[in-house]
Amino acid sequence: MLPYLLGIDIGTGSTKAVALSFDGAVLASAQHHYDISSPQQGYSEQDPEMIWQAFVSCVNDVVKQLNYQPEGMGFSSAMHSLIAVDEGGKALHPMITWADTRSEAIAKNIRESAQAEELYRQTGTPIHPMSPLCKLIWLRENDNELVKKTAKFISIKEYIWYKLFNHFEVDYSIASATGLFDIKSLTWSTEACNLAGVTPAQLSEPVNTNYTRRDIDEQTAALLSIPASTPVVIGASDGCCANLGSQINDTITAALTIGTSGAVRITSKTPIYNFKAMTFNYLLNENTYVCGGAVNNGGIAVDWLIRNFLNLKDIKEDSYHLLFAAIDEVPAGSDGLLFLPYLYGDRAPIWDSQSSGAFLNVKPQHTQNHFLRAALEGICYALNDVIVTLESTANITIERLNISGGFVNSKTWVQTLADITGKKLSVIQQEDASTIGAILLTLGALFPGKTIPTTDETIITDCIPQNHDVYLRAFSKFRKVYQDLKESMHGFE
């Protein structure tokens, strides 16, 4: 029997567990999905108990597959969630997820206030409705009775942690994504808490990401089929864990992930502040920051293309093959056709929820396939906008992108991204980067100095830019066109 560590990623759509041996082999895995509820426009909610059950099932599935217990386990988790609980950790309301936008007006007011920049620099968190800071203000203004009943405001990881140990504790990484935490002093920010109308006593105790407990509640341990003494490392957020799992250890290599949305992240010893672009600065540990920006329009925009241009309502794997085959028929640059991909508004670096999609420079020679390619290029331009913003803000040059997400299976998409960014692209860890990162944090906490060999299962090695000059000119137009159209976009209902 090979000893193993268990990494668990608590995501928005599913929880996944991976058992990794000390020689780097994946011994078993399990995944359980759950739904998101949207009772009103802009609302995004989940039942935290449903996610707890998925967590329990994942642990049991892995232990059952291997028929022996892990040496330890650690967590990765989605950021920005908010749950109101009573003194016993019972949820008083559905969890509000990161995608919830009901506090947009509140975020806008804060962004335009005199204290906005100082608040951003202190907490490292973009001022956006995803932030628990804005969610808390909305609750206070719209459901004050719930606020009065609440003992603690916590995240989904804290909810699960409390079920395990009966203690309210939160790692620096998740705390640093709340908009309520001082990322330098490593304490709850007095200014942010006052703005949100909460006290530090209503929040969990902050601890480092290597913080470990070995006292699982006896009944809960039996439910999980593991000993109560199993060491559990609190871990970090999914983005920070993904950087660790993707081998991003400096500022010359960036992680670029495209799922439903997309993100670019580097690892830095200091925060990288840009108030206008609101680059995020989340903690991997007490002296390491994961800095970058996220965009709204990744895979979700590609699915929009398939449904509305190819008229395929039931999207399957073959649907993507059809899309990329069509795109391949059009030269780089789409013969001058340009697309702003802001179908769902956008976050970094424009932070404009009222922005919208737009095709420009449409000419008679442009066919449906031109529109498809231009749209894909627009998605890549938006990601490159984040990269260029990071480079100019931090005065660095990113040389390589370690990429992950389902898009890595498309040579067309990967090559287009390489051409637009002008960077070398590599797939280091196709899947489970966040889970692997959680395992590496666990290893460092429980077995200091020990390493797990990483297998370089690179599908695409050093994808080299081929048409960067073409795209360099088009990218300059892309950035200017948004600024030119911004006011007009805001004029539509």
Side-chain angles (χ1 to χ4, degrees):
M1 296 188 302
L2 292 173
Y4 69 92
L5 295 174
L6 185 60
I8 301 169
D9 179 46
I10 308 158
T12 305
S14 69
T15 291
K16 185 166 188 178
V18 173
L20 192 72
S21 71
F22 287 92
D23 60 4
V26 174
L27 303 180
S29 65
Q31 186 171 20
H32 286 268
H33 296 264
Y34 28 77
D35 296 327
I36 299 173
S37 173
S38 183
Q40 297 184 44
Q41 184 175 355
Y43 284 44
S44 178
E45 298 179 343
Q46 289 178 311
D47 177 2
E49 189 62 24
M50 173 181 63
I51 300 174
W52 164 252
Q53 292 301 329
F55 166 78
V56 171
S57 296
C58 280
V59 175
N60 272 290
D61 287 356
V62 169
V63 173
K64 185 176 180 180
Q65 288 176 55
L66 297 175
N67 203 29
Y68 60 102
Q69 288 78 26
E71 298 296 306
M73 65 180 180
F75 295 110
S76 160
S77 175
M79 295 176 276
H80 314 303
S81 59
L82 184 69
I83 311 169
V85 299
D86 65 15
E87 292 180 353
K90 181 181 178 182
L92 302 175
H93 188 272
M95 179 180 81
I96 304 175
T97 80
W98 70 270
D100 194 284
T101 60
R102 72 185 77 174
S103 61
E104 172 58 40
I106 291 167
K108 182 175 184 293
N109 288 337
I110 298 174
R111 282 197 301 269
E112 295 173 353
S113 71
Q115 70 184 119
E117 184 167 358
E118 178 56 32
L119 190 66
Y120 158 71
R121 294 179 71 87
Q122 187 178 85
T123 66
T125 305
I127 301 170
H128 186 266
M130 70 183 181
S131 163
L133 165 67
C134 298
K135 293 180 171 83
L136 280 168
I137 297 172
W138 188 94
L139 284 177
R140 192 184 70 214
E141 293 180 354
N142 293 273
D143 196 348
N144 201 41
E145 286 304 311
L146 172 65
V147 173
K148 290 178 180 177
K149 295 176 186 176
T150 301
K152 297 279 187 179
F153 293 100
I154 63 175
S155 70
I156 187 58
K157 189 200 277 190
E158 294 159 78
Y159 183 82
I160 288 174
W161 190 260
Y162 186 85
K163 290 239 184 207
L164 291 170
F165 302 109
N166 298 314
H167 283 272
F168 288 111
E169 293 164 327
V170 60
D171 61 85
Y172 292 159
S173 187
I174 290 294
S176 69
T178 62
L180 300 163
F181 191 69
D182 188 321
I183 59 174
K184 288 298 187 69
S185 68
L186 304 178
T187 58
W188 295 114
S189 161
T190 300
E191 294 80 2
C193 286
N194 287 343
L195 183 61
V198 297
T199 66
Q202 292 175 285
L203 305 172
S204 296
E205 179 187 352
V207 296
N208 205 352
T209 53
N210 62 0
Y211 178 74
T212 306
R213 296 195 73 108
R214 294 175 171 82
D215 55 344
I216 301 174
D217 176 83
E218 292 284 352
Q219 289 185 332
T220 303
L223 188 65
L224 296 169
S225 304
I226 59 175
S229 59
T230 302
V232 184
V233 178
I234 199 166
S237 68
D238 51 3
C240 292
C241 284
N243 261 37
L244 190 59
S246 299
Q247 303 175 33
I248 309 298
N249 303 309
D250 50 43
T251 57
I252 65 170
T253 306
L256 188 149
T257 303
I258 303 177
T260 301
S261 56
V264 179
R265 304 179 304 270
I266 60 174
T267 301
S268 174
K269 293 300 180 185
T270 58
I272 298 174
Y273 294 116
N274 185 321
F275 177 62
K276 183 178 178 181
M278 285 201 190
T279 47
F280 58 67
N281 296 278
Y282 301 141
L283 286 160
L284 176 61
N285 54 44
E286 76 277 16
N287 52 24
T288 306
Y289 299 85
V290 171
C291 313
V295 301
N296 288 349
N297 299 277
I300 195 171
V302 171
D303 289 351
W304 174 82
L305 283 176
I306 291 171
R307 289 192 179 97
N308 295 285
F309 279 78
L310 299 182
N311 200 30
L312 298 173
K313 304 306 179 186
D314 186 17
I315 297 178
K316 300 178 181 177
E317 188 173 346
D318 287 347
S319 307
Y320 297 100
H321 295 322
L322 287 172
L323 173 68
F324 293 120
I327 287 171
D328 281 339
E329 295 182 4
V330 177
S334 303
D335 290 325
L337 186 63
L338 193 66
F339 179 63
L340 300 183
Y342 309 130
L343 298 169
Y344 299 91
D346 219 339
R347 285 178 280 171
I350 66 170
W351 293 98
D352 185 357
S353 61
Q354 297 180 65
S355 60
S356 58
F359 284 98
L360 296 105
N361 197 34
V362 182
K363 299 292 180 65
Q365 68 265 28
H366 291 139
T367 66
Q368 174 175 284
N369 291 352
H370 282 87
F371 282 83
L372 294 173
R373 183 174 189 95
L376 186 73
E377 290 170 344
I379 295 167
C380 295
Y381 287 140
L383 286 162
N384 193 45
D385 208 0
V386 178
I387 294 169
V388 171
T389 300
L390 272 175
E391 289 181 319
S392 62
T393 301
N395 194 26
I396 58 174
T397 299
I398 296 170
E399 298 176 2
R400 179 185 297 274
L401 300 174
N402 288 355
I403 60 175
S404 62
F407 87 105
V408 302
N409 296 307
S410 166
K411 291 183 179 179
T412 299
W413 198 342
V414 170
Q415 187 62 59
T416 302
L417 185 64
D419 290 348
I420 287 176
T421 62
K423 313 295 185 187
K424 293 181 179 180
L425 270 56
S426 295
V427 177
I428 298 298
Q429 181 71 42
Q430 185 187 5
E431 295 183 73
D432 306 325
S434 294
T435 316
I436 297 300
I439 291 172
L440 294 177
L441 273 174
T442 302
L443 180 75
L446 301 183
F447 303 94
K450 189 174 180 61
T451 60
I452 291 179
T454 54
T455 56
D456 187 9
E457 297 175 351
T458 306
I459 299 172
I460 305 157
T461 304
D462 291 347
C463 180
I464 307 298
Q466 297 175 1
N467 297 288
H468 186 52
D469 289 343
V470 172
Y471 285 122
L472 199 58
R473 294 189 295 273
F475 176 64
S476 179
K477 293 178 182 177
F478 171 87
R479 298 182 99 187
K480 182 177 185 301
V481 162
Y482 163 71
Q483 295 299 331
D484 292 344
L485 294 180
K486 179 179 179 179
E487 186 175 342
S488 297
M489 286 178 178
H490 294 183
F492 289 94
E493 292 293 331

